[in-house]
Amino acid sequence: MLATTSTTTITSDPGILCFHHCNVKVFCFTLPHTCPHCNAPLDADVDADGDADSSADADPNAELDRGGPRLLLLPFRLPYPFVRATQYPCAIVLRPSTGDFLNDYSNATDLHIAVTTSGGDIVEFDRFGLRRHRRDDNPPEWRQSLMVGDVPEPWHDFWDEVLEQICAQSVRWSIASYAEESHNCYAFVLAFLQALGHAHLSEAARSKTAFCEQCIVPRTTTAGKYISLYRKIRRSGIYVHRQQPKNRSKPIASSTPSSSYSSVGCDGVGSSSKQVSKKGYSSSSISGIANRPRPTLCTIEE
């Protein structure tokens, strides 16, 4: 088995904090002493017992009648969308082909997909053939992954059994049989899921496009927003999101930066060689699905 090495530092949860003050939402790694929007001291928002004054919650404008802005939302930590693959048994996991999501992912980055066993081992197929990483090896390249599908515990034994059957097809998953566009990690995962016969996952896996739309895109959408937000804070130290006034007809903007999508292809799942048209479709279809619209992954907003 050929070993894989990582050339980038894998970053764990950076701990993005959020609080709402003077009609803006503030995102940061460390809570500031003053509001970056109105410069009011934030410690004035907490009483002697350490409890925030929530009396202005019903009417944000009432805060100004009581001597200044107050915290409308207690600081909380944003959910971290990435996982360590070895800690998620019987799951489908996704990562950039090189580097990690937070530091290295871009709109042109290829993605790589694999399967975990009930014991947390990672089984993947790429240009090096079929490989298995033991959980105890704790492969660094899989420490920041997206979990795009899993099954409940009663399915674990059957999951392992079917995976062993698929892996036993040594010629099908040999180095010689690998083809970047048509017979790659995505083909391996879909072949396994089709053989598994699990209702939702297996039904979606009948089509490369359907699996991407139903299982991959929802997770990468969330990831794209988190990555964009993380990089804004890393660049400037803090990010202030100003909400739309309530009296406007437009819907209020999301509390995190919006995210669009980039193309989905193969070596793994993303392809830097494919461009997205104005309609949101790639100039070429996923291998084996000609003349069909292709779903798109998250665009990182810089």
Side-chain angles (χ1 to χ4, degrees), residues 110 177-185 265-268 270-273 287:
D110 290 344
S177 68
Y178 178 80
E180 184 176 349
E181 293 294 327
S182 59
H183 195 66
N184 48 37
C185 61
C266 296
D267 178 41
S271 174
S272 59
S273 62
S287 178

Side-chain angles (χ1 to χ4, degrees), residues 72-208:
L72 300 180
L73 182 67
L74 285 176
F76 66 93
R77 188 166 176 158
L78 296 187
Y80 186 61
F82 306 110
V83 301
R84 183 168 296 192
T86 54
Q87 296 179 344
Y88 285 78
C90 297
I92 306 300
V93 288
L94 188 74
R95 66 168 175 85
S97 294
T98 58
D100 64 37
F101 277 108
L102 286 180
N103 294 314
D104 307 296
Y105 183 80
S106 71
N107 300 327
T109 300
D110 290 344
L111 294 174
H112 182 54
I113 195 166
V115 179
T116 64
T117 68
S118 63
D121 294 350
I122 301 169
V123 181
E124 61 180 328
F125 176 64
D126 57 16
R127 65 184 183 277
F128 300 114
L130 190 63
R131 299 184 293 162
R132 182 170 182 148
H133 305 280
R134 301 292 178 182
R135 178 176 182 175
D136 294 340
D137 296 337
N138 194 19
E141 64 271 23
W142 287 103
R143 291 178 189 169
Q144 194 184 98
S145 311
L146 280 175
M147 197 271 287
V148 299
D150 64 350
V151 295
E153 189 172 351
W155 277 78
H156 284 194
D157 289 343
F158 186 63
W159 175 287
D160 286 343
E161 179 182 334
V162 174
L163 184 57
E164 288 297 328
Q165 293 172 1
I166 295 296
C167 292
Q169 302 170 12
S170 56
V171 175
R172 186 180 184 186
W173 310 115
S174 65
I175 295 176
S177 68
Y178 178 80
E180 184 176 349
E181 293 294 327
S182 59
H183 195 66
N184 48 37
C185 61
Y186 200 33
F188 169 72
V189 169
L190 294 185
F192 162 68
L193 290 177
Q194 290 168 12
L196 182 67
H198 182 270
H200 170 66
L201 287 176
S202 298
E203 183 64 30
R206 294 182 181 277
S207 162
K208 293 180 178 180

